C-alpha cells in the first residue's frame, strides 16, 4: 500500500504517521529525514543536496526526487510506503508520478488531514516551551501545574517565535497555496481521501484506518 500523507503544519500529521507505520508496518518516508540521511552518508545526490543546504538554499526538485527514488527502491518499500512531506507542489507531484511509473509503482491513496486555520492557530499559539529543558506545554490541553513554570525542572516557559500567531498564519497560508493544487490533482485521479483532523487523535486515526482497510483489499 503506497500512501501520501498531507496536512498542514500543526495538524497532527506526525502523530498519525506514527500510528499508520505501527499498524501497517510500512516505512515512514519523511523527506527531511531521508535528505539529511543522504547528506550524512555522503551519497552522490547527498553531496549535491549539501551544496544547496550549505548556502541556505532550497534543494532543487530533481535532487529531492532522486533521493526519494533511491529510498523507494529499497527492499523495505516493496510492501508499501508512507510518504510524508513530499510532494509539496504540483510540479513535484507530477515528477513523483513519472518516477513511480519507472519503478513500476503507483500511489494508492492520498490522505489529507483537513484542519482549518483557526484550529491550527489555537493548537500552536497556546504552546509554551521550557527555556531550560525544552519540555512543551499547551495552555489549554496540557497546562503546567504552576503558571509559567516547567513541571519537570522549574524553568521559565516561553513562546517560541515559530509558535507566534503571525508566523503560524503565514506558514498556513503558504502551505495551503502549495497544497490546494495538489489536492485537486489527486482528487481528479480519484485517490484523495479527506479526513476530519479536528477530532481526537484516536478518532482521526479511526478515519484513516477505515480508508486503509478499504484500499488494502
Ligand atoms: Zn523544564
Amino acid at each position: 500500500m503506497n500512501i501520501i500523507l498531507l496536512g498542514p503544519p500543526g495538524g497532527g500529521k506526525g502523530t498519525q504517521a506514527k500510528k499508520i507505520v505501527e499498524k501497517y508496518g510500512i516505512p515512514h518516508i519523511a523527506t527531511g529525514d531521508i535528505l539529511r540521511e543522504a547528506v550524512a552518508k555522503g551519497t552522490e545526490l547527498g553531496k549535491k543536496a549539501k551544496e544547496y543546504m550549505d548556502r541556505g538554499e532550497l534543494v532543487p526538485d530533481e535532487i529531492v526526487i532522486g533521493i526519494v527514488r533511491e529510498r523507494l527502491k529499497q527492499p523495505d518499500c516493496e510492501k508499501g510506503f508512507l510518504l510524508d512531506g513530499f510532494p509539496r507542489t504540483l510540479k513535484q507531484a507530477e515528477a513523483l508520478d513519472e518516477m513511480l511509473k519507472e519503478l513500476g509503482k503507483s500511489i494508492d491513496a492520498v490522505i489529507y488531514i483537513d484542519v482549518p486555520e483557526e484550529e491550527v492557530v489555537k493548537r500552536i499559539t497556546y504552546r509554551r516551551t521550557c527555556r531550560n529543558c525544552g519540555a512543551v506545554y499547551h495552555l489549554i490541553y496540557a497546562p503546567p501545574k504552576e503558571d509559567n513554570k516547567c513541571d519537570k525542572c522549574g524553568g521559565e516557559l516561553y513562546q517560541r517565535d515559530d509558535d507566534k500567531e503571525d508566523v503560524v498564519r503565514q506558514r498556513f497560508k503558504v502551505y495551503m497555496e502549495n497544497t490546494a493544487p495538489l489536492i485537486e490533482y489527486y482528487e481528479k485521479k480519484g485517490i484523495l481521501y479527506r479526513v476530519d483532523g479536528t477530532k481526537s487523535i484516536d478518532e482521526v486515526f479511526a478515519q484513516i484506518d477505515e480508508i486503509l482497510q478499504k484500499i488494502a483489499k
Side-chain angles (χ1 to χ4, degrees):
M1 118 188 1
N2 304 335
I3 306 160
I4 293 173
L5 194 56
L6 297 177
K13 191 158 58 79
T15 309
Q16 295 300 328
K18 258 187 226 149
K19 291 177 87 72
I20 296 169
V21 167
E22 248 167 54
K23 173 146 189 189
Y24 290 91
I26 52 175
H28 177 203
I29 300 180
T31 335
D33 292 347
I34 59 167
L35 208 60
R36 277 188 293 274
E37 208 179 284
V39 171
K41 278 189 185 157
T43 66
E44 205 56 44
L45 287 164
K47 279 183 203 156
K48 278 188 199 159
K50 189 173 182 297
E51 286 174 26
Y52 291 91
M53 289 157 102
D54 284 346
R55 292 198 296 260
E57 291 171 20
L58 271 179
V59 180
D61 282 353
E62 312 87 82
I63 296 177
V64 179
I65 282 273
I67 290 173
V68 173
R69 186 177 201 276
E70 289 305 305
R71 182 64 188 87
L72 294 182
K73 277 163 70 183
Q74 301 297 312
D76 64 337
C77 291
E78 263 162 35
K79 275 197 281 176
F81 54 80
L82 176 65
L83 266 183
D84 175 5
F86 188 88
R88 278 187 206 274
T89 62
L90 185 58
K91 216 177 123 219
Q92 289 181 348
E94 288 165 349
L96 174 68
D97 272 349
E98 212 170 291
M99 180 257 277
L100 287 172
K101 212 168 151 189
E102 283 169 32
L103 294 176
K105 296 178 193 279
S106 61
I107 297 295
D108 299 309
V110 177
I111 294 171
Y112 173 51
I113 305 179
D114 194 359
V115 187
E117 179 170 347
E118 289 317 311
E119 175 70 20
V120 168
V121 168
K122 195 168 114 195
R123 286 184 193 179
I124 300 181
T125 57
Y126 285 102
R127 264 193 215 157
R128 294 295 179 272
T129 307
C130 173
R131 267 191 207 285
N132 183 44
C133 74
V136 179
Y137 297 86
H138 190 280
L139 297 183
I140 298 169
Y141 306 124
K145 290 196 186 94
E146 237 180 285
D147 270 0
N148 220 19
K149 208 169 171 188
C150 177
D151 291 353
K152 288 175 187 152
C153 74
E156 185 204 353
L157 303 183
Y158 78 111
Q159 185 178 37
R160 290 177 34 197
D161 284 343
D162 256 11
D163 295 344
K164 295 205 166 129
E165 184 171 341
D166 51 338
V167 177
V168 174
R169 287 195 189 275
Q170 179 57 25
R171 210 161 52 206
F172 189 91
K173 191 174 151 237
V174 170
Y175 178 80
M176 283 318 295
E177 276 167 7
N178 285 325
T179 308
L182 266 186
I183 291 171
E184 204 188 310
Y185 177 76
Y186 289 121
E187 216 155 32
K188 272 190 199 144
K189 288 178 176 277
I191 54 172
L192 186 89
Y193 298 85
R194 277 171 204 272
V195 161
D196 179 356
T198 62
K199 303 270 198 269
S200 73
I201 290 174
D202 287 340
E203 283 169 315
V204 173
F205 184 66
Q207 297 173 62
I208 294 176
D209 200 22
E210 201 185 320
I211 296 161
L212 297 184
Q213 300 275 2
K214 231 184 279 170
I215 64 157
K217 276 177 193 158

